[in-house]
Amino acid sequence: MTGQFITFEGGEGAGKTTQIARLKQRLEELGKTICLTREPGGSPGAEKIREMLLSGAARKLGPRGEAMLFAAARADHVDGVIAPALVRGDWVICDRFADSTRVYQGEAGVDNETLDLLETIAVAGTRPDLTILIDIPADIGLSRVSSRSKTDDSGGPDRFEADTIATHERRRSLFLDLAKQQPERFVVVDGRHDPDHVAGEIWWAVHRHFKDLLPEQKDNSTTATSAEG
Ligand code: TYD
């Protein structure tokens, strides 16, 4: 595979969508071909499963059943979209990936052994080169989500957004734990800052990570927190 695989992770209202669009634009300006995608979903089969998951229709399967559906969606997405794009040499940017299952379904009680198995089967060896975790306190993220859903036609919080603030805070710490465990893959940025500042930190981190593949960068005045330190 010759392409590069970047994932974005974080709690609700962290600002992933805005930051993903900005990173895509910046990489395109450097001549990269970007495959922009998301989970759950991203391929026709996975988008059907997304609807079941986010509407709450799959809730009665329990956390393990839901984790299996996320994994099934991921398998279709990897096989049909992500792996072919990487083979073509594209840069893939994915809004959420396997770390979200570890955090959301792990928090809901699915044990690590099951999560390991499901991940191995779903990703079939396709793993992110870099994961950007946008960290935000749950109360700030949720208040952004609730003011957004008043102005768009999303119809209110989805199955996972509607959980308690304590649940969202536990997810936040699980994301941060993952970042600590895999510092070579993760970069943590503080999502409380304004979008320009966050975009600067992300760009600095991406540039540092892929320095051999991108033109030399003069302005490195912003500071992303590497999970290494
Ligand atoms: P989405 O509308 O894509 O929201 P967001 O902007 O927060 O990414 O909703 C995806 C929801 O699904 C989100 O609440 C996280 C949850 N999720 C899981 O529980 N497990 C997973 O493996 C993935 C990919 C997402």
Side-chain angles (χ1 to χ4, degrees):
M1 289 193 189
T2 53
Q4 303 300 320
F5 184 18
I6 302 173
T7 58
F8 276 72
E9 298 282 0
E12 316 297 328
K16 289 184 283 101
T17 310
T18 308
Q19 294 303 330
I20 285 169
R22 292 182 69 148
L23 179 61
K24 173 178 185 279
Q25 188 186 350
R26 203 136 186 199
L27 287 167
E28 280 174 346
E29 282 163 13
L30 296 176
K32 306 296 178 196
T33 303
I34 307 300
C35 167
L36 188 60
T37 188
R38 67 156 181 195
E39 290 208 345
S43 60
E47 288 290 331
K48 291 204 178 99
I49 299 177
R50 175 187 173 90
E51 173 55 29
M52 290 170 64
L53 285 161
L54 298 196
S55 67
R59 190 177 202 140
K60 48 187 168 309
L61 298 179
R64 188 164 53 103
E66 283 184 310
M68 290 167 82
L69 281 184
F70 277 109
R74 182 161 303 126
D76 189 59
H77 185 210
V78 166
D79 291 354
V81 175
I82 297 177
L86 293 171
V87 167
R88 285 196 303 272
D90 294 357
W91 287 52
V92 176
I93 305 179
C94 190
D95 186 346
R96 297 195 184 280
F97 194 61
D99 298 310
S100 278
T101 304
R102 295 217 159 250
V103 165
Y104 282 74
Q105 283 61 58
E107 191 282 330
V110 181
D111 62 87
N112 281 333
E113 200 186 336
T114 304
L115 292 171
D116 286 345
L117 273 171
L118 288 176
E119 182 173 316
T120 303
I121 296 165
V123 310
T126 300
R127 295 184 188 276
D129 297 293
L130 176 66
T131 297
I132 294 159
L133 171 59
I134 308 186
D135 175 55
I136 191 145
D139 56 341
I140 300 180
L142 289 174
S143 69
R144 287 185 186 170
V145 169
S146 82
S147 50
R148 192 169 64 204
S149 60
K150 281 182 198 129
T151 53
D152 65 18
D153 57 359
S154 63
D158 68 34
R159 147 90 178 84
F160 297 95
E161 284 167 0
D163 285 323
T164 64
I165 191 135
T167 301
H168 288 287
E169 268 305 336
R170 281 195 298 276
R171 290 171 182 157
R172 181 187 182 203
S173 12
L174 288 171
F175 271 127
L176 290 170
D177 288 348
L178 281 180
K180 275 203 197 102
Q181 286 156 19
Q182 299 175 63
E184 61 299 330
R185 171 164 73 87
F186 272 91
V187 166
V188 183
V189 298
D190 186 341
R192 286 172 300 184
H193 292 301
D194 69 76
D196 285 347
H197 184 106
V198 177
E201 289 204 351
I202 290 173
W203 181 245
W204 185 79
V206 167
H207 199 276
R208 188 184 51 176
H209 196 88
F210 298 106
K211 56 183 173 305
D212 298 338
L213 303 171
L214 296 170
E216 202 182 324
Q217 175 80 7
K218 299 233 163 42
D219 176 18
N220 63 352
S221 51
T222 51
T223 50
T225 312
S226 157
E228 282 155 280

